[in-house]
PDB file of all heavy atoms in Angstrom:
ATOM      1  N   ASP B  79     172.275 123.493 143.339  1.00  0.00           N
ATOM      2  CA  ASP B  79     172.213 124.616 144.260  1.00  0.00           C
ATOM      3  C   ASP B  79     171.683 124.103 145.590  1.00  0.00           C
ATOM      4  O   ASP B  79     170.506 123.759 145.718  1.00  0.00           O
ATOM      5  CB  ASP B  79     171.284 125.691 143.686  1.00  0.00           C
ATOM      6  CG  ASP B  79     171.233 126.922 144.575  1.00  0.00           C
ATOM      7  OD1 ASP B  79     171.689 126.830 145.736  1.00  0.00           O
ATOM      8  OD2 ASP B  79     170.748 127.963 144.106  1.00  0.00           O
ATOM      9  N   ALA B  80     172.552 124.025 146.590  1.00  0.00           N
ATOM     10  CA  ALA B  80     172.185 123.399 147.857  1.00  0.00           C
ATOM     11  C   ALA B  80     171.186 124.241 148.638  1.00  0.00           C
ATOM     12  O   ALA B  80     170.546 123.740 149.558  1.00  0.00           O
ATOM     13  CB  ALA B  80     173.434 123.155 148.701  1.00  0.00           C
ATOM     14  N   ILE B  81     171.058 125.506 148.280  1.00  0.00           N
ATOM     15  CA  ILE B  81     170.183 126.375 149.074  1.00  0.00           C
ATOM     16  C   ILE B  81     168.739 126.282 148.612  1.00  0.00           C
ATOM     17  O   ILE B  81     167.813 126.294 149.417  1.00  0.00           O
ATOM     18  CB  ILE B  81     170.702 127.825 149.018  1.00  0.00           C
ATOM     19  CG1 ILE B  81     172.048 127.856 149.759  1.00  0.00           C
ATOM     20  CG2 ILE B  81     169.723 128.791 149.661  1.00  0.00           C
ATOM     21  CD1 ILE B  81     172.779 129.136 149.674  1.00  0.00           C
ATOM     22  N   THR B  82     168.554 126.137 147.308  1.00  0.00           N
ATOM     23  CA  THR B  82     167.182 126.056 146.819  1.00  0.00           C
ATOM     24  C   THR B  82     166.739 124.611 146.622  1.00  0.00           C
ATOM     25  O   THR B  82     165.617 124.356 146.207  1.00  0.00           O
ATOM     26  CB  THR B  82     167.057 126.785 145.464  1.00  0.00           C
ATOM     27  OG1 THR B  82     167.996 126.197 144.558  1.00  0.00           O
ATOM     28  CG2 THR B  82     167.357 128.260 145.609  1.00  0.00           C
ATOM     29  N   LEU B  83     167.629 123.677 146.967  1.00  0.00           N
ATOM     30  CA  LEU B  83     167.293 122.264 146.817  1.00  0.00           C
ATOM     31  C   LEU B  83     166.066 121.925 147.663  1.00  0.00           C
ATOM     32  O   LEU B  83     166.025 122.255 148.840  1.00  0.00           O
ATOM     33  CB  LEU B  83     168.485 121.428 147.294  1.00  0.00           C
ATOM     34  CG  LEU B  83     168.633 120.017 146.755  1.00  0.00           C
ATOM     35  CD1 LEU B  83     168.844 120.032 145.249  1.00  0.00           C
ATOM     36  CD2 LEU B  83     169.797 119.327 147.439  1.00  0.00           C
ATOM     37  N   PRO B  84     165.042 121.293 147.069  1.00  0.00           N
ATOM     38  CA  PRO B  84     163.872 120.954 147.877  1.00  0.00           C
ATOM     39  C   PRO B  84     164.265 119.978 148.992  1.00  0.00           C
ATOM     40  O   PRO B  84     165.168 119.157 148.836  1.00  0.00           O
ATOM     41  CB  PRO B  84     162.912 120.292 146.895  1.00  0.00           C
ATOM     42  CG  PRO B  84     163.608 120.213 145.594  1.00  0.00           C
ATOM     43  CD  PRO B  84     164.918 120.882 145.666  1.00  0.00           C
ATOM     44  N   ARG B  85     163.556 120.110 150.104  1.00  0.00           N
ATOM     45  CA  ARG B  85     163.892 119.343 151.297  1.00  0.00           C
ATOM     46  C   ARG B  85     163.929 117.839 151.027  1.00  0.00           C
ATOM     47  O   ARG B  85     164.747 117.120 151.575  1.00  0.00           O
ATOM     48  CB  ARG B  85     162.852 119.653 152.371  1.00  0.00           C
ATOM     49  CG  ARG B  85     163.434 119.664 153.744  1.00  0.00           C
ATOM     50  CD  ARG B  85     162.374 119.891 154.793  1.00  0.00           C
ATOM     51  NE  ARG B  85     162.767 119.134 155.964  1.00  0.00           N
ATOM     52  CZ  ARG B  85     162.426 117.903 156.166  1.00  0.00           C
ATOM     53  NH1 ARG B  85     161.654 117.281 155.305  1.00  0.00           N
ATOM     54  NH2 ARG B  85     162.842 117.264 157.229  1.00  0.00           N
ATOM     55  N   ASP B  86     163.034 117.356 150.172  1.00  0.00           N
ATOM     56  CA  ASP B  86     162.952 115.911 149.980  1.00  0.00           C
ATOM     57  C   ASP B  86     164.083 115.373 149.101  1.00  0.00           C
ATOM     58  O   ASP B  86     164.208 114.169 148.934  1.00  0.00           O
ATOM     59  CB  ASP B  86     161.579 115.512 149.425  1.00  0.00           C
ATOM     60  CG  ASP B  86     161.283 116.185 148.087  1.00  0.00           C
ATOM     61  OD1 ASP B  86     162.059 117.090 147.703  1.00  0.00           O
ATOM     62  OD2 ASP B  86     160.309 115.817 147.429  1.00  0.00           O
ATOM     63  N   ARG B  87     164.896 116.266 148.559  1.00  0.00           N
ATOM     64  CA  ARG B  87     166.043 115.766 147.784  1.00  0.00           C
ATOM     65  C   ARG B  87     167.309 115.732 148.630  1.00  0.00           C
ATOM     66  O   ARG B  87     168.330 115.194 148.203  1.00  0.00           O
ATOM     67  CB  ARG B  87     166.254 116.623 146.543  1.00  0.00           C
ATOM     68  CG  ARG B  87     165.207 116.337 145.450  1.00  0.00           C
ATOM     69  CD  ARG B  87     165.578 116.981 144.148  1.00  0.00           C
ATOM     70  NE  ARG B  87     166.901 116.563 143.673  1.00  0.00           N
ATOM     71  CZ  ARG B  87     167.632 117.274 142.810  1.00  0.00           C
ATOM     72  NH1 ARG B  87     167.179 118.414 142.344  1.00  0.00           N
ATOM     73  NH2 ARG B  87     168.815 116.845 142.419  1.00  0.00           N
ATOM     74  N   LEU B  88     167.245 116.325 149.822  1.00  0.00           N
ATOM     75  CA  LEU B  88     168.430 116.387 150.677  1.00  0.00           C
ATOM     76  C   LEU B  88     168.931 115.015 151.128  1.00  0.00           C
ATOM     77  O   LEU B  88     170.135 114.778 151.145  1.00  0.00           O
ATOM     78  CB  LEU B  88     168.171 117.296 151.889  1.00  0.00           C
ATOM     79  CG  LEU B  88     168.129 118.795 151.553  1.00  0.00           C
ATOM     80  CD1 LEU B  88     167.692 119.595 152.768  1.00  0.00           C
ATOM     81  CD2 LEU B  88     169.501 119.267 151.080  1.00  0.00           C
ATOM     82  N   PRO B  89     168.028 114.072 151.520  1.00  0.00           N
ATOM     83  CA  PRO B  89     168.557 112.765 151.969  1.00  0.00           C
ATOM     84  C   PRO B  89     169.475 112.106 150.946  1.00  0.00           C
ATOM     85  O   PRO B  89     170.521 111.557 151.313  1.00  0.00           O
ATOM     86  CB  PRO B  89     167.286 111.943 152.195  1.00  0.00           C
ATOM     87  CG  PRO B  89     166.246 112.945 152.525  1.00  0.00           C
ATOM     88  CD  PRO B  89     166.580 114.152 151.698  1.00  0.00           C
ATOM     89  N   ALA B  90     169.128 112.191 149.678  1.00  0.00           N
ATOM     90  CA  ALA B  90     169.970 111.582 148.649  1.00  0.00           C
ATOM     91  C   ALA B  90     171.352 112.230 148.641  1.00  0.00           C
ATOM     92  O   ALA B  90     172.361 111.562 148.437  1.00  0.00           O
ATOM     93  CB  ALA B  90     169.298 111.736 147.288  1.00  0.00           C
ATOM     94  N   PHE B  91     171.399 113.528 148.894  1.00  0.00           N
ATOM     95  CA  PHE B  91     172.692 114.212 148.945  1.00  0.00           C
ATOM     96  C   PHE B  91     173.461 113.808 150.203  1.00  0.00           C
ATOM     97  O   PHE B  91     174.668 113.605 150.151  1.00  0.00           O
ATOM     98  CB  PHE B  91     172.481 115.733 148.915  1.00  0.00           C
ATOM     99  CG  PHE B  91     172.306 116.271 147.532  1.00  0.00           C
ATOM    100  CD1 PHE B  91     171.160 115.981 146.801  1.00  0.00           C
ATOM    101  CD2 PHE B  91     173.293 117.043 146.934  1.00  0.00           C
ATOM    102  CE1 PHE B  91     170.996 116.457 145.512  1.00  0.00           C
ATOM    103  CE2 PHE B  91     173.139 117.528 145.644  1.00  0.00           C
ATOM    104  CZ  PHE B  91     171.990 117.235 144.940  1.00  0.00           C
ATOM    105  N   ARG B  92     172.728 113.708 151.310  1.00  0.00           N
ATOM    106  CA  ARG B  92     173.411 113.344 152.558  1.00  0.00           C
ATOM    107  C   ARG B  92     174.036 111.964 152.469  1.00  0.00           C
ATOM    108  O   ARG B  92     175.052 111.684 153.092  1.00  0.00           O
ATOM    109  CB  ARG B  92     172.427 113.395 153.733  1.00  0.00           C
ATOM    110  CG  ARG B  92     171.946 114.790 154.060  1.00  0.00           C
ATOM    111  CD  ARG B  92     171.311 114.860 155.442  1.00  0.00           C
ATOM    112  NE  ARG B  92     170.862 116.217 155.707  1.00  0.00           N
ATOM    113  CZ  ARG B  92     169.590 116.611 155.586  1.00  0.00           C
ATOM    114  NH1 ARG B  92     168.659 115.734 155.252  1.00  0.00           N
ATOM    115  NH2 ARG B  92     169.267 117.851 155.820  1.00  0.00           N
ATOM    116  N   ARG B  93     173.399 111.084 151.702  1.00  0.00           N
ATOM    117  CA  ARG B  93     173.945 109.731 151.586  1.00  0.00           C
ATOM    118  C   ARG B  93     175.241 109.701 150.786  1.00  0.00           C
ATOM    119  O   ARG B  93     175.930 108.699 150.775  1.00  0.00           O
ATOM    120  CB  ARG B  93     172.918 108.807 150.928  1.00  0.00           C
ATOM    121  CG  ARG B  93     171.752 108.526 151.852  1.00  0.00           C
ATOM    122  CD  ARG B  93     170.689 107.702 151.186  1.00  0.00           C
ATOM    123  NE  ARG B  93     169.476 107.747 151.995  1.00  0.00           N
ATOM    124  CZ  ARG B  93     168.502 106.848 151.924  1.00  0.00           C
ATOM    125  NH1 ARG B  93     168.611 105.845 151.092  1.00  0.00           N
ATOM    126  NH2 ARG B  93     167.446 106.953 152.690  1.00  0.00           N
ATOM    127  N   ARG B  94     175.535 110.777 150.107  1.00  0.00           N
ATOM    128  CA  ARG B  94     176.795 110.826 149.372  1.00  0.00           C
ATOM    129  C   ARG B  94     177.911 111.371 150.261  1.00  0.00           C
ATOM    130  O   ARG B  94     179.050 111.493 149.817  1.00  0.00           O
ATOM    131  CB  ARG B  94     176.623 111.718 148.137  1.00  0.00           C
ATOM    132  CG  ARG B  94     175.566 111.157 147.191  1.00  0.00           C
ATOM    133  CD  ARG B  94     175.107 112.159 146.177  1.00  0.00           C
ATOM    134  NE  ARG B  94     176.109 112.354 145.127  1.00  0.00           N
ATOM    135  CZ  ARG B  94     175.855 113.053 144.003  1.00  0.00           C
ATOM    136  NH1 ARG B  94     174.681 113.606 143.816  1.00  0.00           N
ATOM    137  NH2 ARG B  94     176.802 113.192 143.098  1.00  0.00           N
ATOM    138  N   LEU B  95     177.555 111.714 151.499  1.00  0.00           N
ATOM    139  CA  LEU B  95     178.526 112.272 152.435  1.00  0.00           C
ATOM    140  C   LEU B  95     178.815 111.292 153.559  1.00  0.00           C
ATOM    141  O   LEU B  95     177.971 110.480 153.923  1.00  0.00           O
ATOM    142  CB  LEU B  95     177.971 113.547 153.077  1.00  0.00           C
ATOM    143  CG  LEU B  95     177.539 114.685 152.162  1.00  0.00           C
ATOM    144  CD1 LEU B  95     176.793 115.727 152.977  1.00  0.00           C
ATOM    145  CD2 LEU B  95     178.749 115.278 151.477  1.00  0.00           C
ATOM    146  N   GLY B  96     180.039 111.391 154.103  1.00  0.00           N
ATOM    147  CA  GLY B  96     180.338 110.709 155.353  1.00  0.00           C
ATOM    148  C   GLY B  96     180.696 111.780 156.357  1.00  0.00           C
ATOM    149  O   GLY B  96     181.442 112.689 156.030  1.00  0.00           O
ATOM    150  N   VAL B  97     180.106 111.699 157.560  1.00  0.00           N
ATOM    151  CA  VAL B  97     180.330 112.764 158.524  1.00  0.00           C
ATOM    152  C   VAL B  97     180.817 112.195 159.849  1.00  0.00           C
ATOM    153  O   VAL B  97     180.228 111.261 160.387  1.00  0.00           O
ATOM    154  CB  VAL B  97     179.035 113.576 158.775  1.00  0.00           C
ATOM    155  CG1 VAL B  97     179.328 114.763 159.682  1.00  0.00           C
ATOM    156  CG2 VAL B  97     178.409 114.032 157.469  1.00  0.00           C
ATOM    157  N   VAL B  98     181.917 112.756 160.351  1.00  0.00           N
ATOM    158  CA  VAL B  98     182.337 112.491 161.723  1.00  0.00           C
ATOM    159  C   VAL B  98     181.969 113.739 162.514  1.00  0.00           C
ATOM    160  O   VAL B  98     182.563 114.800 162.320  1.00  0.00           O
ATOM    161  CB  VAL B  98     183.857 112.235 161.832  1.00  0.00           C
ATOM    162  CG1 VAL B  98     184.230 111.874 163.264  1.00  0.00           C
ATOM    163  CG2 VAL B  98     184.292 111.154 160.854  1.00  0.00           C
ATOM    164  N   PHE B  99     180.966 113.609 163.379  1.00  0.00           N
ATOM    165  CA  PHE B  99     180.522 114.765 164.146  1.00  0.00           C
ATOM    166  C   PHE B  99     181.485 115.020 165.294  1.00  0.00           C
ATOM    167  O   PHE B  99     182.065 114.088 165.846  1.00  0.00           O
ATOM    168  CB  PHE B  99     179.113 114.525 164.699  1.00  0.00           C
ATOM    169  CG  PHE B  99     178.101 114.246 163.622  1.00  0.00           C
ATOM    170  CD1 PHE B  99     177.758 112.949 163.305  1.00  0.00           C
ATOM    171  CD2 PHE B  99     177.503 115.282 162.924  1.00  0.00           C
ATOM    172  CE1 PHE B  99     176.833 112.675 162.309  1.00  0.00           C
ATOM    173  CE2 PHE B  99     176.571 115.021 161.924  1.00  0.00           C
ATOM    174  CZ  PHE B  99     176.242 113.726 161.618  1.00  0.00           C
ATOM    175  N   GLN B 100     181.628 116.306 165.646  1.00  0.00           N
ATOM    176  CA  GLN B 100     182.539 116.626 166.744  1.00  0.00           C
ATOM    177  C   GLN B 100     182.099 115.923 168.030  1.00  0.00           C
ATOM    178  O   GLN B 100     182.921 115.468 168.806  1.00  0.00           O
ATOM    179  CB  GLN B 100     182.588 118.146 166.959  1.00  0.00           C
ATOM    180  CG  GLN B 100     183.639 118.568 167.979  1.00  0.00           C
ATOM    181  CD  GLN B 100     183.930 120.058 167.941  1.00  0.00           C
ATOM    182  OE1 GLN B 100     183.180 120.852 167.390  1.00  0.00           O
ATOM    183  NE2 GLN B 100     185.050 120.449 168.528  1.00  0.00           N
ATOM    184  N   ASP B 101     180.781 115.823 168.217  1.00  0.00           N
ATOM    185  CA  ASP B 101     180.274 115.132 169.405  1.00  0.00           C
ATOM    186  C   ASP B 101     179.821 113.699 169.066  1.00  0.00           C
ATOM    187  O   ASP B 101     178.962 113.138 169.751  1.00  0.00           O
ATOM    188  CB  ASP B 101     179.140 115.944 170.042  1.00  0.00           C
ATOM    189  CG  ASP B 101     178.069 116.326 169.017  1.00  0.00           C
ATOM    190  OD1 ASP B 101     178.260 116.025 167.820  1.00  0.00           O
ATOM    191  OD2 ASP B 101     177.054 116.924 169.404  1.00  0.00           O
ATOM    192  N   PHE B 102     180.398 113.115 168.052  1.00  0.00           N
ATOM    193  CA  PHE B 102     180.216 111.710 167.641  1.00  0.00           C
ATOM    194  C   PHE B 102     178.811 111.367 167.167  1.00  0.00           C
ATOM    195  O   PHE B 102     178.625 110.762 166.133  1.00  0.00           O
ATOM    196  CB  PHE B 102     180.622 110.714 168.738  1.00  0.00           C
ATOM    197  CG  PHE B 102     181.917 111.026 169.412  1.00  0.00           C
ATOM    198  CD1 PHE B 102     182.103 110.783 170.764  1.00  0.00           C
ATOM    199  CD2 PHE B 102     182.973 111.585 168.693  1.00  0.00           C
ATOM    200  CE1 PHE B 102     183.314 111.079 171.383  1.00  0.00           C
ATOM    201  CE2 PHE B 102     184.183 111.883 169.301  1.00  0.00           C
ATOM    202  CZ  PHE B 102     184.345 111.632 170.657  1.00  0.00           C
ATOM    203  N   ARG B 103     177.804 111.724 168.001  1.00  0.00           N
ATOM    204  CA  ARG B 103     176.415 111.409 167.664  1.00  0.00           C
ATOM    205  C   ARG B 103     176.203 109.934 167.361  1.00  0.00           C
ATOM    206  O   ARG B 103     175.636 109.563 166.334  1.00  0.00           O
ATOM    207  CB  ARG B 103     175.948 112.220 166.465  1.00  0.00           C
ATOM    208  CG  ARG B 103     176.132 113.675 166.677  1.00  0.00           C
ATOM    209  CD  ARG B 103     174.845 114.386 166.450  1.00  0.00           C
ATOM    210  NE  ARG B 103     175.087 115.811 166.534  1.00  0.00           N
ATOM    211  CZ  ARG B 103     174.357 116.717 165.932  1.00  0.00           C
ATOM    212  NH1 ARG B 103     173.343 116.343 165.201  1.00  0.00           N
ATOM    213  NH2 ARG B 103     174.624 117.981 166.084  1.00  0.00           N
ATOM    214  N   LEU B 104     176.671 109.084 168.248  1.00  0.00           N
ATOM    215  CA  LEU B 104     176.369 107.664 168.098  1.00  0.00           C
ATOM    216  C   LEU B 104     174.970 107.429 168.651  1.00  0.00           C
ATOM    217  O   LEU B 104     174.532 108.138 169.558  1.00  0.00           O
ATOM    218  CB  LEU B 104     177.398 106.827 168.863  1.00  0.00           C
ATOM    219  CG  LEU B 104     178.844 107.040 168.411  1.00  0.00           C
ATOM    220  CD1 LEU B 104     179.805 106.222 169.257  1.00  0.00           C
ATOM    221  CD2 LEU B 104     179.006 106.690 166.933  1.00  0.00           C
ATOM    222  N   VAL B 105     174.266 106.450 168.091  1.00  0.00           N
ATOM    223  CA  VAL B 105     172.938 106.117 168.616  1.00  0.00           C
ATOM    224  C   VAL B 105     173.152 105.323 169.900  1.00  0.00           C
ATOM    225  O   VAL B 105     173.762 104.259 169.872  1.00  0.00           O
ATOM    226  CB  VAL B 105     172.131 105.296 167.596  1.00  0.00           C
ATOM    227  CG1 VAL B 105     170.764 104.957 168.159  1.00  0.00           C
ATOM    228  CG2 VAL B 105     171.993 106.077 166.300  1.00  0.00           C
ATOM    229  N   PRO B 106     172.682 105.855 171.032  1.00  0.00           N
ATOM    230  CA  PRO B 106     173.074 105.297 172.331  1.00  0.00           C
ATOM    231  C   PRO B 106     172.658 103.846 172.566  1.00  0.00           C
ATOM    232  O   PRO B 106     173.359 103.117 173.259  1.00  0.00           O
ATOM    233  CB  PRO B 106     172.412 106.224 173.351  1.00  0.00           C
ATOM    234  CG  PRO B 106     171.378 106.979 172.588  1.00  0.00           C
ATOM    235  CD  PRO B 106     171.827 107.033 171.167  1.00  0.00           C
ATOM    236  N   HIS B 107     171.519 103.442 171.996  1.00  0.00           N
ATOM    237  CA  HIS B 107     171.040 102.084 172.308  1.00  0.00           C
ATOM    238  C   HIS B 107     171.502 101.059 171.290  1.00  0.00           C
ATOM    239  O   HIS B 107     171.133  99.898 171.379  1.00  0.00           O
ATOM    240  CB  HIS B 107     169.516 102.085 172.378  1.00  0.00           C
ATOM    241  CG  HIS B 107     168.896 102.652 171.147  1.00  0.00           C
ATOM    242  ND1 HIS B 107     168.763 101.936 169.997  1.00  0.00           N
ATOM    243  CD2 HIS B 107     168.433 103.891 170.884  1.00  0.00           C
ATOM    244  CE1 HIS B 107     168.231 102.707 169.075  1.00  0.00           C
ATOM    245  NE2 HIS B 107     168.013 103.894 169.579  1.00  0.00           N
ATOM    246  N   LEU B 108     172.324 101.493 170.327  1.00  0.00           N
ATOM    247  CA  LEU B 108     172.832 100.538 169.345  1.00  0.00           C
ATOM    248  C   LEU B 108     174.283 100.190 169.674  1.00  0.00           C
ATOM    249  O   LEU B 108     175.051 101.036 170.148  1.00  0.00           O
ATOM    250  CB  LEU B 108     172.752 101.122 167.933  1.00  0.00           C
ATOM    251  CG  LEU B 108     171.362 101.340 167.343  1.00  0.00           C
ATOM    252  CD1 LEU B 108     171.472 101.839 165.913  1.00  0.00           C
ATOM    253  CD2 LEU B 108     170.538 100.071 167.398  1.00  0.00           C
ATOM    254  N   SER B 109     174.650  98.945 169.382  1.00  0.00           N
ATOM    255  CA  SER B 109     176.019  98.500 169.611  1.00  0.00           C
ATOM    256  C   SER B 109     176.949  99.222 168.642  1.00  0.00           C
ATOM    257  O   SER B 109     176.507  99.857 167.674  1.00  0.00           O
ATOM    258  CB  SER B 109     176.116  97.002 169.391  1.00  0.00           C
ATOM    259  OG  SER B 109     175.863  96.713 168.032  1.00  0.00           O
TER     260      SER B 109
END
Side-chain angles (χ1 to χ4, degrees):
Chain B
D79 183 346
I81 293 173
T82 57
L83 204 63
R85 215 183 146 271
D86 59 350
R87 285 191 57 202
L88 287 173
F91 277 69
R92 293 196 180 100
R93 289 176 194 201
R94 298 165 75 170
L95 303 170
V97 185
V98 184
F99 302 97
Q100 187 166 16
D101 51 356
F102 315 144
R103 305 234 186 154
L104 301 177
V105 180
H107 54 79
L108 292 184
S109 65

